[in-house]
Amino acid sequence: MQSTPEPASAHASSPAQLPGGDREIETLAEFDEVAARGSLAGVRVQGIDLTERTRALRSCDAKGAVFLGCLMEEGAADAMRSAGALVFPPVPGLPFDPYRGLLYTPDELFAGLAEGGYDATPDARAYTWFQETKADGDIFSSMLRAIHDDAISDALDELLVGARVVGVMGGHAMARGTDAYEGAARLGRSLARAGFVVATGGGPGAMEAANLGAYASVFRDEMLDEALELLSKAPSFTPSITEWARAAFDVRERWPDGGASVGIPTWFYGHEPPNAFATHLAKYFANATREDGLLARSNAGVVFLPGAAGTVQEIFDAATPNYYESRGEPAPMILVNRTHWTQTLPAWPLLQALAQGRSMEPTIALVEGVDEVPAALASLPPGGPSSPPGESSSPSGV
C-alpha cells in the first residue's frame, strides 16, 4: 500500500523494519518476527488475523503504525489507537479483502469449485458484487475498489522486483485442443525456461495457454503433451466455467508444483474467468489500471499472438510509451502470424510507420510462428533497466 501520512507522534520512535528495509507486514510470520523485537512503530500491517496476537500487540511500541483490515480483539484495537496507531478495521460483508497484502492464488479465487461449482467461488462472488455496485454512484464502493486495486499493484511490484518479464497477449477465444493453443503453450514454456517471468492477462484462451506453458516448464517435455490432451476435453469456458476450471485443476493435481508465472485479469471482464495455471494472480476491478500495469511491467518485451479488438488495443497501448520513451528505453514488441497482422487486422504496417526513424524502430519484429519468438527476442535491443535473467530474482520466488 502507499504510505499513509503519519501523526506527529510517529516521529518519537524509529520505524520498525523487516530485513531489506521493508515496512509492510503481510504475513503472520513477518508480524511475529517484527513484534519479537518489541516495536511495531511506523510499520503497515495488511490483512492479517491478529486475534491470537493480543499480548504481542499490547507489549509493542505502536507509534505511527497503520493496521489495514486486520482482525483484532476489540480491546487490542483500542490499545493500538491509544498507542498512536491508525486502525482501519475489516469491512464486513465483502467477498474480497481491499487491504490484502499479497496477490491471489488460483486455489484462493476458485475455493469451493469442487463442491459448489464456479458460482460458489470467491472469484464469482466478487464479480457479482462488482456488477451490483459499479454503477450505483456509492463513493464507499468505489473507494473500496480503488484501495483493493492499489494494494494489488503494490503486491505485484513487490513480487517482480528484479525480474525480467515478458508479456504474452492474445485472444480469450483461443480454444484448448487447437494448434494455436498448443503453440502459445510452447511459447510460454520456452520463455520460462529461458529465465523470463511470463505475464499474461490471466484469462482463458491464449492467456491460459502461455501460463500453462510456464507451469509445464519444470517438467519433462511429455508433460505438456499429456496436459494438452486432458484439457482438450473441456475446450472452452463456455458453456461451463465449472467444467473448464475443473479440467485445469485436474492437470494441476496430477502435476503439482509447476513453474511460476503471473496472470493479471480483471473483474471488468468477469464473464472471462481467471486461469488456474498462473501461480500469481493480480486481479483488478479497474480494467484500465490492469492493462496499463501489465504492459508497463513487461520490461523484457511483449509478444502479441493473433487476437481481435483487445489485442489490437494492447499493441498500441504498448507502442505509445515506446514512441515517446515515457518509460525509458523502448521494450521489444513481437507480433506473431504475418497474415493476421498484415491482412486480417493490419496493425503491423501502422506500427512500422509509427516506429520509423525513432528509437523504437529496431525493437519491433513480425514473425510467422511462436517457435521464432525466442530468437527474435534475443536479437532485439533489450528494454527496461532491469538485470538480465538469472542475475537477479524476486524474493517471492517467481
Side-chain angles (χ1 to χ4, degrees):
M1 297 291 292
Q2 294 180 345
S3 296
T4 304
E6 297 176 355
S9 61
H11 304 288
S13 300
S14 299
Q17 292 184 341
L18 290 163
D22 189 9
R23 295 173 62 198
E24 296 175 11
I25 295 177
E26 295 148 341
T27 67
L28 200 55
E30 290 177 340
F31 175 85
D32 290 341
E33 179 183 354
V34 175
R37 304 177 200 148
S39 177
L40 295 167
V43 301
R44 285 79 173 93
V45 190
Q46 291 177 249
I48 304 174
D49 186 346
L50 297 174
T51 52
E52 301 296 324
R53 296 297 188 275
T54 299
R55 179 177 297 180
L57 287 167
R58 289 181 176 272
S59 65
C60 284
D61 175 12
K63 290 184 178 69
V66 180
F67 294 88
L68 300 166
C70 296
L71 287 169
M72 299 184 204
E73 292 183 350
E74 185 174 346
D78 290 340
M80 291 299 94
R81 294 186 183 98
S82 297
L86 290 175
V87 180
F88 294 84
V91 181
L94 287 180
F96 63 94
D97 177 8
Y99 298 115
R100 62 180 300 116
L102 303 173
L103 298 183
Y104 294 99
T105 66
D107 289 329
E108 183 179 4
L109 286 178
F110 284 102
L113 177 75
E115 299 80 17
Y118 176 70
D119 288 344
T121 66
D123 187 68
R125 289 188 284 112
Y127 177 53
T128 298
W129 178 88
F130 179 48
Q131 289 294 99
E132 293 170 348
T133 62
K134 67 181 181 180
D136 65 3
D138 182 3
I139 191 172
F140 184 56
S141 297
S142 61
M143 181 191 74
L144 292 172
R145 293 194 297 271
I147 291 172
H148 170 274
D149 285 2
D150 188 68
I152 290 295
S153 290
D154 183 69
L156 184 58
D157 286 338
E158 291 173 354
L159 179 79
L160 296 177
V161 169
R164 294 286 284 165
V165 182
V166 174
V168 179
M169 312 297 168
H172 69 271
M174 185 184 289
R176 296 166 173 173
T178 63
D179 290 343
Y181 186 96
E182 179 183 348
R186 290 201 318 270
L187 172 63
R189 184 176 65 182
S190 65
L191 291 171
R193 286 179 173 176
F196 294 104
V197 174
V198 173
T200 78
M207 297 172 280
E208 181 191 53
N211 288 128
L212 167 64
Y215 188 89
S217 64
V218 299
F219 300 104
R220 69 189 196 285
D221 287 352
E222 292 79 6
M223 174 270 178
L224 181 57
D225 296 331
E226 295 173 28
L228 290 168
E229 177 65 26
L230 291 173
L231 291 171
S232 68
K233 298 173 183 177
S236 175
F237 65 97
T238 59
S240 173
I241 295 176
T242 299
E243 295 308 311
W244 173 85
R246 282 176 175 165
F249 279 97
D250 286 345
V251 169
R252 282 167 43 104
E253 184 176 352
R254 182 169 175 179
W255 293 281
D257 303 319
S261 67
V262 175
I264 308 181
T266 174
W267 281 295
F268 184 82
Y269 295 133
H271 60 285
E272 298 177 15
N275 75 72
F277 296 110
T279 52
H280 305 276
L281 287 162
K283 190 150 192 179
Y284 287 90
F285 288 105
N287 185 53
T289 304
R290 166 253 191 170
E291 286 196 345
D292 184 69
L294 171 55
L295 293 168
R297 291 172 177 86
S298 297
N299 56 6
V302 187
V303 180
F304 298 92
L305 301 174
T311 310
V312 171
Q313 177 182 339
E314 288 162 349
I315 289 173
F316 294 103
D317 281 346
T320 300
N322 283 352
Y323 181 90
Y324 290 111
E325 299 184 53
S326 56
R327 293 179 184 143
E329 293 294 323
M333 298 176 63
I334 301 174
L335 278 60
V336 179
N337 190 309
R338 295 178 185 278
T339 299
H340 187 84
W341 294 122
T342 61
Q343 297 179 31
T344 308
L345 294 174
W348 174 249
L350 180 52
L351 184 62
Q352 275 189 305
L354 279 172
Q356 187 172 7
R358 304 190 72 89
S359 61
M360 67 179 286
E361 186 172 14
T363 69
I364 65 173
L366 174 66
V367 300
E368 182 57 38
V370 294
D371 293 337
E372 301 173 54
V373 170
L377 191 61
S379 71
L380 298 177
S386 299
S387 54
E391 287 193 10
S392 179
S393 61
S394 165
S396 300
V398 176

